[in-house]
Amino acid sequence: MNHFVVSARKYRPSTFDMVVGQSHITQTLKNAIRHKHLAQAFLFCGPRGVGKTTCARILAKTLNCHNLTEKIEACNKCDSCLSFNNGQSLNIYELDAASNNSVEDIRALVEQVRYAPHAGEYKIYIIDEVHMLSTNAFNAFLKTLEEPPPYAIFILATTEKHKIIPTILSRCQIFEFNRIQVDDIAGHLGYVAEQEGVTVDVDALHIIAQKADGALRDALSIFDQMVSYSGNNVTYKDVISNLSILDYDYFFKLTDYIREGNISNVLLTFNELLGEGFDAHHFINGLAGHFRDLLVCQDPATISLLEVSKNIRERYKLQAKQTSPSLLLKLLDLCSQCDINYRAARNQRLHVELTLIKMCSLNTIITEAPYVVATGSAQSNKTTAPLPSEKKTLDVIAPLEKKTDATINSNIKSPIASAQVNEINLNAPAATLAEFSSKKSDDLLPQESIIPSTTVNPKPAKGYTSVLKKASLAAIQTSVVNEQAPASKQEVSPQNEIASPVSQSDLELKWSEFALKEKAAGKHQLFTTLTHRKPVLINDHLIEVEIVNMSQENLLIQEKKVLMDYLRIELNNHQLQLTIKLNETTKDETVYTSKEKYQKMVERNPALEDMRKKLGLELDM
């Protein structure tokens, strides 16, 4: 039996032109070789399996090739190229930093750098997984990396650039390798299949390329696995079955069921997927990806973002035309919420099933909501087509909704219109509102009384959506409130103010509540002032409070408006007034400010002021 070589090694690129999906790297390296602008150290970084080590080897072989082609490629015929291909080159050293990451390993490498190449122009050192070197090893490598001999070139490769110390990065020319595109991987797999005499479906190649997640090496490993499973004829069904990948057909069927509101088929399809061993969390993420692809297909400019085969792309285009973008956005939101809360759910299957049921119900609500008719609290709501009378009402409302805000405001500003709007009762029967809506736009509000009501309900009843749309009602209500609010303030006169009787006990209770509220807000001095003396109710509308110094008086004057507003509201008496009585004869329990304390001290000992002035001290108030 012949020795089997995996495709990743058998078809490993040997020239720059054979490298897949990294043309920006290979072209730069070829130009550097052509113009002799070679850096002393290169750093190749990027995801796994995208060609970092391969490009390092191609660069090393090309630099020592004796007969470069016109395209700046190695000839693969000279002694240097042949020795490299046979693994016998003495000028190219490879070091795996994952297993040789100590200071001693780097010191041994630095010692080799001292010797000139045996044959050829350059000695090239390829250090793979360089981020695995220890800090001491990096430090031992710094000086040599910064000032190597003219014949030495270092090529470092890593998948984790952020782990390399900045002093190393600053000494290297950095090349960022990209993930390889799905189409590029699929094309290369098709080439390998042709060379191996294997027949593969185009859709199967795209599935393998998507599974590889941008890594060509992974894609080739999966290809070998599928050839072992299916032989020389690899089909789409074989790939999705062997790799446990959800078929596109499931997602297309589910989307159709959701759009139709067919809850039964959605749940049965989900149960079928679980029976085949698929994870529910993986399923909901795949469904979200399907909705995203449908949303991408809504605009021809973004169809290029869809990384699927041509046949599947046509199916996406067809279904995207049948699904509205607003529905897709809501479905994506439900999938996102399900994904976020999946781990925390105790019954994860039920959690996904509820999400699917919401999806089915969501489409019904979006398409049929304008025709929901409320039949009263004694009857159940039902979804029907608009009746002729309702259609007539909607035809009347439609032009009214097109009025500008300026027109609506001008109508409401008139005294008659304001009075009439105030008489609308949004809890009135649907028939009454229908009659009201059918009036001409000039007679926007009828003058006859329609179940008088003094307030406008800010939330219209749900049953009237088919008669008056919520947007129209909200606009009228907002305008009425905005117009009536300032008028009501101006019409209040002192004679009409509320003046409920107030008792001494109620006054003391609300006074204490206000003091505690100010204390919680950090106003401790105001709290002390308010609780130092109890307020006294002189008559039904006059409150007197006694204070003992000017500091308290100033503090109360500042807070008087807030205090009285609070008391008037809490005691339901808008005629309350406050008088402040200063009683300086009371010396006990007096609360002094810092300034007052100092003034009292100076009165007793005048020398204290002289000392302050001589020392140049300032009072901290």
Side-chain angles (χ1 to χ4, degrees), residues 392-405 407-408 411 433-445 467-469 471-473 475-476:
K392 181 180 179 182
T393 304
L394 289 173
D395 292 339
V396 173
I397 292 174
L400 293 179
E401 290 180 337
K402 296 180 180 179
K403 280 180 170 290
T404 61
D405 292 341
T407 306
I408 294 174
N411 289 337
L433 288 177
E435 294 173 4
F436 157 71
S437 302
S438 62
K439 297 292 184 181
K440 294 180 180 180
S441 59
D442 294 336
D443 301 324
L444 182 60
L445 298 171
V467 182
L468 292 174
K469 292 187 178 179
S472 300
L473 291 175
I476 294 175

PDB file of all heavy atoms in Angstrom, residues 392-405 407-408 411 433-445 467-469 471-473 475-476:
ATOM      1  N   LYS A 392     -65.256  52.678   4.954  1.00  0.00           N
ATOM      2  CA  LYS A 392     -65.678  54.051   4.754  1.00  0.00           C
ATOM      3  C   LYS A 392     -65.071  54.965   5.814  1.00  0.00           C
ATOM      4  O   LYS A 392     -64.595  56.063   5.525  1.00  0.00           O
ATOM      5  CB  LYS A 392     -67.202  54.128   4.789  1.00  0.00           C
ATOM      6  CG  LYS A 392     -67.764  55.533   4.575  1.00  0.00           C
ATOM      7  CD  LYS A 392     -69.283  55.511   4.622  1.00  0.00           C
ATOM      8  CE  LYS A 392     -69.841  56.919   4.439  1.00  0.00           C
ATOM      9  NZ  LYS A 392     -71.312  56.942   4.516  1.00  0.00           N
ATOM     10  N   THR A 393     -65.077  54.486   7.053  1.00  0.00           N
ATOM     11  CA  THR A 393     -64.498  55.276   8.149  1.00  0.00           C
ATOM     12  C   THR A 393     -63.006  55.505   7.934  1.00  0.00           C
ATOM     13  O   THR A 393     -62.483  56.595   8.137  1.00  0.00           O
ATOM     14  CB  THR A 393     -64.733  54.560   9.488  1.00  0.00           C
ATOM     15  OG1 THR A 393     -66.130  54.347   9.642  1.00  0.00           O
ATOM     16  CG2 THR A 393     -64.203  55.397  10.641  1.00  0.00           C
ATOM     17  N   LEU A 394     -62.303  54.435   7.512  1.00  0.00           N
ATOM     18  CA  LEU A 394     -60.866  54.566   7.270  1.00  0.00           C
ATOM     19  C   LEU A 394     -60.594  55.534   6.124  1.00  0.00           C
ATOM     20  O   LEU A 394     -59.629  56.275   6.139  1.00  0.00           O
ATOM     21  CB  LEU A 394     -60.263  53.196   6.956  1.00  0.00           C
ATOM     22  CG  LEU A 394     -60.188  52.231   8.143  1.00  0.00           C
ATOM     23  CD1 LEU A 394     -59.736  50.860   7.654  1.00  0.00           C
ATOM     24  CD2 LEU A 394     -59.256  52.757   9.210  1.00  0.00           C
ATOM     25  N   ASP A 395     -61.483  55.524   5.110  1.00  0.00           N
ATOM     26  CA  ASP A 395     -61.305  56.452   4.000  1.00  0.00           C
ATOM     27  C   ASP A 395     -61.478  57.892   4.448  1.00  0.00           C
ATOM     28  O   ASP A 395     -60.863  58.815   3.904  1.00  0.00           O
ATOM     29  CB  ASP A 395     -62.311  56.141   2.890  1.00  0.00           C
ATOM     30  CG  ASP A 395     -62.004  54.801   2.230  1.00  0.00           C
ATOM     31  OD1 ASP A 395     -60.837  54.365   2.353  1.00  0.00           O
ATOM     32  OD2 ASP A 395     -62.908  54.212   1.618  1.00  0.00           O
ATOM     33  N   VAL A 396     -62.327  58.109   5.463  1.00  0.00           N
ATOM     34  CA  VAL A 396     -62.516  59.458   5.983  1.00  0.00           C
ATOM     35  C   VAL A 396     -61.319  59.891   6.813  1.00  0.00           C
ATOM     36  O   VAL A 396     -60.871  61.038   6.770  1.00  0.00           O
ATOM     37  CB  VAL A 396     -63.812  59.529   6.833  1.00  0.00           C
ATOM     38  CG1 VAL A 396     -63.930  60.884   7.514  1.00  0.00           C
ATOM     39  CG2 VAL A 396     -65.026  59.270   5.952  1.00  0.00           C
ATOM     40  N   ILE A 397     -60.757  58.943   7.572  1.00  0.00           N
ATOM     41  CA  ILE A 397     -59.641  59.281   8.470  1.00  0.00           C
ATOM     42  C   ILE A 397     -58.354  59.517   7.701  1.00  0.00           C
ATOM     43  O   ILE A 397     -57.532  60.347   8.066  1.00  0.00           O
ATOM     44  CB  ILE A 397     -59.440  58.154   9.500  1.00  0.00           C
ATOM     45  CG1 ILE A 397     -60.631  58.120  10.440  1.00  0.00           C
ATOM     46  CG2 ILE A 397     -58.166  58.362  10.307  1.00  0.00           C
ATOM     47  CD1 ILE A 397     -60.590  56.965  11.401  1.00  0.00           C
ATOM     48  N   ALA A 398     -58.185  58.799   6.585  1.00  0.00           N
ATOM     49  CA  ALA A 398     -56.912  58.878   5.846  1.00  0.00           C
ATOM     50  C   ALA A 398     -56.525  60.292   5.480  1.00  0.00           C
ATOM     51  O   ALA A 398     -55.391  60.720   5.739  1.00  0.00           O
ATOM     52  CB  ALA A 398     -56.991  58.006   4.594  1.00  0.00           C
ATOM     53  N   PRO A 399     -57.426  61.095   4.895  1.00  0.00           N
ATOM     54  CA  PRO A 399     -57.002  62.476   4.580  1.00  0.00           C
ATOM     55  C   PRO A 399     -56.756  63.315   5.810  1.00  0.00           C
ATOM     56  O   PRO A 399     -55.945  64.235   5.785  1.00  0.00           O
ATOM     57  CB  PRO A 399     -58.187  63.025   3.761  1.00  0.00           C
ATOM     58  CG  PRO A 399     -59.347  62.147   4.101  1.00  0.00           C
ATOM     59  CD  PRO A 399     -58.779  60.797   4.372  1.00  0.00           C
ATOM     60  N   LEU A 400     -57.470  62.994   6.935  1.00  0.00           N
ATOM     61  CA  LEU A 400     -57.237  63.765   8.156  1.00  0.00           C
ATOM     62  C   LEU A 400     -55.838  63.532   8.688  1.00  0.00           C
ATOM     63  O   LEU A 400     -55.215  64.418   9.260  1.00  0.00           O
ATOM     64  CB  LEU A 400     -58.272  63.373   9.224  1.00  0.00           C
ATOM     65  CG  LEU A 400     -59.732  63.769   8.924  1.00  0.00           C
ATOM     66  CD1 LEU A 400     -60.632  63.301  10.046  1.00  0.00           C
ATOM     67  CD2 LEU A 400     -59.866  65.264   8.737  1.00  0.00           C
ATOM     68  N   GLU A 401     -55.328  62.282   8.512  1.00  0.00           N
ATOM     69  CA  GLU A 401     -53.990  61.983   9.010  1.00  0.00           C
ATOM     70  C   GLU A 401     -52.915  62.711   8.218  1.00  0.00           C
ATOM     71  O   GLU A 401     -51.801  62.916   8.719  1.00  0.00           O
ATOM     72  CB  GLU A 401     -53.731  60.479   8.940  1.00  0.00           C
ATOM     73  CG  GLU A 401     -54.548  59.697   9.939  1.00  0.00           C
ATOM     74  CD  GLU A 401     -54.254  58.221   9.835  1.00  0.00           C
ATOM     75  OE1 GLU A 401     -53.790  57.786   8.775  1.00  0.00           O
ATOM     76  OE2 GLU A 401     -54.479  57.537  10.817  1.00  0.00           O
ATOM     77  N   LYS A 402     -53.216  63.100   7.018  1.00  0.00           N
ATOM     78  CA  LYS A 402     -52.229  63.783   6.192  1.00  0.00           C
ATOM     79  C   LYS A 402     -52.119  65.263   6.521  1.00  0.00           C
ATOM     80  O   LYS A 402     -51.283  65.963   5.981  1.00  0.00           O
ATOM     81  CB  LYS A 402     -52.579  63.612   4.714  1.00  0.00           C
ATOM     82  CG  LYS A 402     -52.514  62.149   4.243  1.00  0.00           C
ATOM     83  CD  LYS A 402     -52.871  62.026   2.787  1.00  0.00           C
ATOM     84  CE  LYS A 402     -52.814  60.574   2.317  1.00  0.00           C
ATOM     85  NZ  LYS A 402     -53.194  60.425   0.903  1.00  0.00           N
ATOM     86  N   LYS A 403     -53.023  65.750   7.409  1.00  0.00           N
ATOM     87  CA  LYS A 403     -52.917  67.159   7.786  1.00  0.00           C
ATOM     88  C   LYS A 403     -51.586  67.395   8.493  1.00  0.00           C
ATOM     89  O   LYS A 403     -51.113  66.552   9.231  1.00  0.00           O
ATOM     90  CB  LYS A 403     -54.070  67.516   8.730  1.00  0.00           C
ATOM     91  CG  LYS A 403     -55.396  67.784   8.008  1.00  0.00           C
ATOM     92  CD  LYS A 403     -56.477  68.124   9.023  1.00  0.00           C
ATOM     93  CE  LYS A 403     -57.732  68.633   8.349  1.00  0.00           C
ATOM     94  NZ  LYS A 403     -57.545  69.937   7.761  1.00  0.00           N
ATOM     95  N   THR A 404     -51.040  68.544   8.304  1.00  0.00           N
ATOM     96  CA  THR A 404     -49.805  68.891   8.986  1.00  0.00           C
ATOM     97  C   THR A 404     -50.074  69.252  10.424  1.00  0.00           C
ATOM     98  O   THR A 404     -51.220  69.530  10.812  1.00  0.00           O
ATOM     99  CB  THR A 404     -49.124  70.085   8.284  1.00  0.00           C
ATOM    100  OG1 THR A 404     -50.022  71.178   8.349  1.00  0.00           O
ATOM    101  CG2 THR A 404     -48.804  69.760   6.842  1.00  0.00           C
ATOM    102  N   ASP A 405     -49.007  69.246  11.238  1.00  0.00           N
ATOM    103  CA  ASP A 405     -49.159  69.613  12.647  1.00  0.00           C
ATOM    104  C   ASP A 405     -49.656  71.046  12.780  1.00  0.00           C
ATOM    105  O   ASP A 405     -50.401  71.379  13.697  1.00  0.00           O
ATOM    106  CB  ASP A 405     -47.813  69.472  13.364  1.00  0.00           C
ATOM    107  CG  ASP A 405     -47.413  68.026  13.443  1.00  0.00           C
ATOM    108  OD1 ASP A 405     -48.316  67.183  13.287  1.00  0.00           O
ATOM    109  OD2 ASP A 405     -46.219  67.758  13.635  1.00  0.00           O
ATOM    110  N   THR A 407     -51.768  72.635  10.868  1.00  0.00           N
ATOM    111  CA  THR A 407     -53.212  72.677  10.661  1.00  0.00           C
ATOM    112  C   THR A 407     -53.952  72.168  11.873  1.00  0.00           C
ATOM    113  O   THR A 407     -54.949  72.732  12.319  1.00  0.00           O
ATOM    114  CB  THR A 407     -53.584  71.834   9.433  1.00  0.00           C
ATOM    115  OG1 THR A 407     -52.820  72.267   8.323  1.00  0.00           O
ATOM    116  CG2 THR A 407     -55.066  71.959   9.133  1.00  0.00           C
ATOM    117  N   ILE A 408     -53.443  71.067  12.453  1.00  0.00           N
ATOM    118  CA  ILE A 408     -54.101  70.509  13.630  1.00  0.00           C
ATOM    119  C   ILE A 408     -54.053  71.491  14.781  1.00  0.00           C
ATOM    120  O   ILE A 408     -55.041  71.723  15.484  1.00  0.00           O
ATOM    121  CB  ILE A 408     -53.429  69.177  14.024  1.00  0.00           C
ATOM    122  CG1 ILE A 408     -53.683  68.145  12.934  1.00  0.00           C
ATOM    123  CG2 ILE A 408     -53.967  68.678  15.343  1.00  0.00           C
ATOM    124  CD1 ILE A 408     -52.946  66.843  13.144  1.00  0.00           C
ATOM    125  N   ASN A 411     -56.519  74.339  14.378  1.00  0.00           N
ATOM    126  CA  ASN A 411     -57.897  73.955  14.659  1.00  0.00           C
ATOM    127  C   ASN A 411     -58.156  73.898  16.156  1.00  0.00           C
ATOM    128  O   ASN A 411     -59.200  74.304  16.648  1.00  0.00           O
ATOM    129  CB  ASN A 411     -58.213  72.598  14.035  1.00  0.00           C
ATOM    130  CG  ASN A 411     -58.305  72.678  12.521  1.00  0.00           C
ATOM    131  OD1 ASN A 411     -58.560  73.752  11.983  1.00  0.00           O
ATOM    132  ND2 ASN A 411     -58.071  71.557  11.835  1.00  0.00           N
ATOM    133  N   LEU A 433     -67.906  56.765  18.139  1.00  0.00           N
ATOM    134  CA  LEU A 433     -66.672  57.316  17.585  1.00  0.00           C
ATOM    135  C   LEU A 433     -66.675  57.252  16.071  1.00  0.00           C
ATOM    136  O   LEU A 433     -66.096  58.094  15.396  1.00  0.00           O
ATOM    137  CB  LEU A 433     -65.470  56.560  18.146  1.00  0.00           C
ATOM    138  CG  LEU A 433     -65.174  56.850  19.615  1.00  0.00           C
ATOM    139  CD1 LEU A 433     -64.009  55.985  20.063  1.00  0.00           C
ATOM    140  CD2 LEU A 433     -64.871  58.311  19.831  1.00  0.00           C
ATOM    141  N   ALA A 434     -67.330  56.233  15.519  1.00  0.00           N
ATOM    142  CA  ALA A 434     -67.404  56.142  14.060  1.00  0.00           C
ATOM    143  C   ALA A 434     -68.213  57.294  13.500  1.00  0.00           C
ATOM    144  O   ALA A 434     -67.860  57.891  12.475  1.00  0.00           O
ATOM    145  CB  ALA A 434     -68.019  54.816  13.653  1.00  0.00           C
ATOM    146  N   GLU A 435     -69.340  57.631  14.199  1.00  0.00           N
ATOM    147  CA  GLU A 435     -70.130  58.773  13.757  1.00  0.00           C
ATOM    148  C   GLU A 435     -69.318  60.061  13.844  1.00  0.00           C
ATOM    149  O   GLU A 435     -69.373  60.908  12.971  1.00  0.00           O
ATOM    150  CB  GLU A 435     -71.392  58.881  14.619  1.00  0.00           C
ATOM    151  CG  GLU A 435     -72.347  57.702  14.427  1.00  0.00           C
ATOM    152  CD  GLU A 435     -73.509  57.757  15.416  1.00  0.00           C
ATOM    153  OE1 GLU A 435     -73.571  58.747  16.173  1.00  0.00           O
ATOM    154  OE2 GLU A 435     -74.326  56.840  15.391  1.00  0.00           O
ATOM    155  N   PHE A 436     -68.578  60.184  14.959  1.00  0.00           N
ATOM    156  CA  PHE A 436     -67.743  61.379  15.139  1.00  0.00           C
ATOM    157  C   PHE A 436     -66.692  61.500  14.025  1.00  0.00           C
ATOM    158  O   PHE A 436     -66.449  62.568  13.484  1.00  0.00           O
ATOM    159  CB  PHE A 436     -67.079  61.312  16.504  1.00  0.00           C
ATOM    160  CG  PHE A 436     -65.824  62.121  16.602  1.00  0.00           C
ATOM    161  CD1 PHE A 436     -65.870  63.492  16.609  1.00  0.00           C
ATOM    162  CD2 PHE A 436     -64.594  61.479  16.660  1.00  0.00           C
ATOM    163  CE1 PHE A 436     -64.715  64.222  16.700  1.00  0.00           C
ATOM    164  CE2 PHE A 436     -63.450  62.210  16.744  1.00  0.00           C
ATOM    165  CZ  PHE A 436     -63.514  63.593  16.771  1.00  0.00           C
ATOM    166  N   SER A 437     -66.087  60.348  13.651  1.00  0.00           N
ATOM    167  CA  SER A 437     -65.021  60.379  12.657  1.00  0.00           C
ATOM    168  C   SER A 437     -65.540  60.682  11.271  1.00  0.00           C
ATOM    169  O   SER A 437     -64.809  61.159  10.409  1.00  0.00           O
ATOM    170  CB  SER A 437     -64.292  59.036  12.638  1.00  0.00           C
ATOM    171  OG  SER A 437     -63.788  58.769  13.910  1.00  0.00           O
ATOM    172  N   SER A 438     -66.825  60.349  10.994  1.00  0.00           N
ATOM    173  CA  SER A 438     -67.363  60.525   9.660  1.00  0.00           C
ATOM    174  C   SER A 438     -67.762  61.966   9.355  1.00  0.00           C
ATOM    175  O   SER A 438     -68.185  62.284   8.264  1.00  0.00           O
ATOM    176  CB  SER A 438     -68.578  59.612   9.475  1.00  0.00           C
ATOM    177  OG  SER A 438     -69.598  59.973  10.392  1.00  0.00           O
ATOM    178  N   LYS A 439     -67.641  62.874  10.356  1.00  0.00           N
ATOM    179  CA  LYS A 439     -67.940  64.280  10.112  1.00  0.00           C
ATOM    180  C   LYS A 439     -66.932  64.879   9.141  1.00  0.00           C
ATOM    181  O   LYS A 439     -65.825  64.399   8.991  1.00  0.00           O
ATOM    182  CB  LYS A 439     -67.899  65.058  11.444  1.00  0.00           C
ATOM    183  CG  LYS A 439     -68.946  64.600  12.454  1.00  0.00           C
ATOM    184  CD  LYS A 439     -70.363  64.931  12.036  1.00  0.00           C
ATOM    185  CE  LYS A 439     -71.388  64.554  13.088  1.00  0.00           C
ATOM    186  NZ  LYS A 439     -72.758  64.867  12.665  1.00  0.00           N
ATOM    187  N   LYS A 440     -67.309  65.989   8.506  1.00  0.00           N
ATOM    188  CA  LYS A 440     -66.397  66.644   7.592  1.00  0.00           C
ATOM    189  C   LYS A 440     -65.201  67.195   8.342  1.00  0.00           C
ATOM    190  O   LYS A 440     -65.265  67.443   9.532  1.00  0.00           O
ATOM    191  CB  LYS A 440     -67.118  67.781   6.869  1.00  0.00           C
ATOM    192  CG  LYS A 440     -68.235  67.280   5.934  1.00  0.00           C
ATOM    193  CD  LYS A 440     -68.907  68.440   5.239  1.00  0.00           C
ATOM    194  CE  LYS A 440     -70.010  67.945   4.303  1.00  0.00           C
ATOM    195  NZ  LYS A 440     -70.687  69.051   3.618  1.00  0.00           N
ATOM    196  N   SER A 441     -64.120  67.387   7.660  1.00  0.00           N
ATOM    197  CA  SER A 441     -62.921  67.900   8.315  1.00  0.00           C
ATOM    198  C   SER A 441     -63.135  69.294   8.863  1.00  0.00           C
ATOM    199  O   SER A 441     -62.495  69.709   9.830  1.00  0.00           O
ATOM    200  CB  SER A 441     -61.751  67.907   7.320  1.00  0.00           C
ATOM    201  OG  SER A 441     -62.093  68.727   6.220  1.00  0.00           O
ATOM    202  N   ASP A 442     -64.074  70.095   8.261  1.00  0.00           N
ATOM    203  CA  ASP A 442     -64.349  71.440   8.793  1.00  0.00           C
ATOM    204  C   ASP A 442     -65.048  71.358  10.132  1.00  0.00           C
ATOM    205  O   ASP A 442     -64.833  72.172  11.024  1.00  0.00           O
ATOM    206  CB  ASP A 442     -65.202  72.227   7.810  1.00  0.00           C
ATOM    207  CG  ASP A 442     -64.453  72.519   6.522  1.00  0.00           C
ATOM    208  OD1 ASP A 442     -63.205  72.536   6.569  1.00  0.00           O
ATOM    209  OD2 ASP A 442     -65.111  72.717   5.492  1.00  0.00           O
ATOM    210  N   ASP A 443     -65.917  70.338  10.258  1.00  0.00           N
ATOM    211  CA  ASP A 443     -66.598  70.108  11.552  1.00  0.00           C
ATOM    212  C   ASP A 443     -65.863  69.001  12.269  1.00  0.00           C
ATOM    213  O   ASP A 443     -66.400  67.927  12.493  1.00  0.00           O
ATOM    214  CB  ASP A 443     -68.064  69.725  11.310  1.00  0.00           C
ATOM    215  CG  ASP A 443     -68.790  70.824  10.554  1.00  0.00           C
ATOM    216  OD1 ASP A 443     -68.484  72.011  10.802  1.00  0.00           O
ATOM    217  OD2 ASP A 443     -69.648  70.490   9.727  1.00  0.00           O
ATOM    218  N   LEU A 444     -64.610  69.236  12.565  1.00  0.00           N
ATOM    219  CA  LEU A 444     -63.752  68.186  13.136  1.00  0.00           C
ATOM    220  C   LEU A 444     -64.325  67.592  14.396  1.00  0.00           C
ATOM    221  O   LEU A 444     -64.254  66.399  14.624  1.00  0.00           O
ATOM    222  CB  LEU A 444     -62.358  68.757  13.407  1.00  0.00           C
ATOM    223  CG  LEU A 444     -61.323  67.772  13.974  1.00  0.00           C
ATOM    224  CD1 LEU A 444     -61.132  66.627  12.988  1.00  0.00           C
ATOM    225  CD2 LEU A 444     -60.025  68.481  14.253  1.00  0.00           C
ATOM    226  N   LEU A 445     -64.964  68.422  15.244  1.00  0.00           N
ATOM    227  CA  LEU A 445     -65.528  67.938  16.494  1.00  0.00           C
ATOM    228  C   LEU A 445     -66.976  68.420  16.590  1.00  0.00           C
ATOM    229  O   LEU A 445     -67.239  69.614  16.454  1.00  0.00           O
ATOM    230  CB  LEU A 445     -64.711  68.450  17.673  1.00  0.00           C
ATOM    231  CG  LEU A 445     -63.268  67.987  17.694  1.00  0.00           C
ATOM    232  CD1 LEU A 445     -62.510  68.725  18.772  1.00  0.00           C
ATOM    233  CD2 LEU A 445     -63.210  66.504  17.895  1.00  0.00           C
ATOM    234  N   VAL A 467     -61.146  51.916  13.874  1.00  0.00           N
ATOM    235  CA  VAL A 467     -61.941  53.115  13.603  1.00  0.00           C
ATOM    236  C   VAL A 467     -61.071  54.349  13.595  1.00  0.00           C
ATOM    237  O   VAL A 467     -61.129  55.163  12.693  1.00  0.00           O
ATOM    238  CB  VAL A 467     -63.061  53.243  14.647  1.00  0.00           C
ATOM    239  CG1 VAL A 467     -63.931  54.456  14.358  1.00  0.00           C
ATOM    240  CG2 VAL A 467     -63.915  51.984  14.652  1.00  0.00           C
ATOM    241  N   LEU A 468     -60.293  54.517  14.645  1.00  0.00           N
ATOM    242  CA  LEU A 468     -59.355  55.642  14.712  1.00  0.00           C
ATOM    243  C   LEU A 468     -57.970  55.087  14.964  1.00  0.00           C
ATOM    244  O   LEU A 468     -57.770  54.412  15.963  1.00  0.00           O
ATOM    245  CB  LEU A 468     -59.746  56.587  15.862  1.00  0.00           C
ATOM    246  CG  LEU A 468     -61.048  57.361  15.684  1.00  0.00           C
ATOM    247  CD1 LEU A 468     -61.351  58.128  16.946  1.00  0.00           C
ATOM    248  CD2 LEU A 468     -60.956  58.305  14.519  1.00  0.00           C
ATOM    249  N   LYS A 469     -57.043  55.352  14.112  1.00  0.00           N
ATOM    250  CA  LYS A 469     -55.687  54.852  14.303  1.00  0.00           C
ATOM    251  C   LYS A 469     -55.034  55.559  15.461  1.00  0.00           C
ATOM    252  O   LYS A 469     -55.310  56.723  15.732  1.00  0.00           O
ATOM    253  CB  LYS A 469     -54.854  55.042  13.035  1.00  0.00           C
ATOM    254  CG  LYS A 469     -55.342  54.160  11.891  1.00  0.00           C
ATOM    255  CD  LYS A 469     -54.414  54.232  10.711  1.00  0.00           C
ATOM    256  CE  LYS A 469     -54.871  53.315   9.606  1.00  0.00           C
ATOM    257  NZ  LYS A 469     -54.008  53.385   8.439  1.00  0.00           N
ATOM    258  N   ALA A 471     -52.118  56.735  15.974  1.00  0.00           N
ATOM    259  CA  ALA A 471     -51.311  57.932  15.716  1.00  0.00           C
ATOM    260  C   ALA A 471     -52.177  59.180  15.679  1.00  0.00           C
ATOM    261  O   ALA A 471     -51.803  60.237  16.208  1.00  0.00           O
ATOM    262  CB  ALA A 471     -50.561  57.783  14.404  1.00  0.00           C
ATOM    263  N   SER A 472     -53.391  59.091  15.074  1.00  0.00           N
ATOM    264  CA  SER A 472     -54.262  60.255  14.986  1.00  0.00           C
ATOM    265  C   SER A 472     -54.763  60.667  16.349  1.00  0.00           C
ATOM    266  O   SER A 472     -54.792  61.843  16.709  1.00  0.00           O
ATOM    267  CB  SER A 472     -55.443  59.938  14.067  1.00  0.00           C
ATOM    268  OG  SER A 472     -54.986  59.604  12.784  1.00  0.00           O
ATOM    269  N   LEU A 473     -55.187  59.655  17.162  1.00  0.00           N
ATOM    270  CA  LEU A 473     -55.678  59.958  18.510  1.00  0.00           C
ATOM    271  C   LEU A 473     -54.590  60.588  19.360  1.00  0.00           C
ATOM    272  O   LEU A 473     -54.816  61.560  20.080  1.00  0.00           O
ATOM    273  CB  LEU A 473     -56.179  58.669  19.160  1.00  0.00           C
ATOM    274  CG  LEU A 473     -57.469  58.077  18.540  1.00  0.00           C
ATOM    275  CD1 LEU A 473     -57.777  56.751  19.186  1.00  0.00           C
ATOM    276  CD2 LEU A 473     -58.636  59.030  18.698  1.00  0.00           C
ATOM    277  N   ALA A 475     -52.021  62.306  18.417  1.00  0.00           N
ATOM    278  CA  ALA A 475     -51.724  63.672  17.981  1.00  0.00           C
ATOM    279  C   ALA A 475     -52.753  64.648  18.520  1.00  0.00           C
ATOM    280  O   ALA A 475     -52.420  65.735  19.005  1.00  0.00           O
ATOM    281  CB  ALA A 475     -51.691  63.726  16.458  1.00  0.00           C
ATOM    282  N   ILE A 476     -54.078  64.260  18.470  1.00  0.00           N
ATOM    283  CA  ILE A 476     -55.122  65.160  18.973  1.00  0.00           C
ATOM    284  C   ILE A 476     -54.988  65.358  20.469  1.00  0.00           C
ATOM    285  O   ILE A 476     -55.062  66.464  20.994  1.00  0.00           O
ATOM    286  CB  ILE A 476     -56.515  64.595  18.620  1.00  0.00           C
ATOM    287  CG1 ILE A 476     -56.702  64.615  17.093  1.00  0.00           C
ATOM    288  CG2 ILE A 476     -57.615  65.390  19.300  1.00  0.00           C
ATOM    289  CD1 ILE A 476     -57.986  63.966  16.631  1.00  0.00           C
TER     290      ILE A 476
END
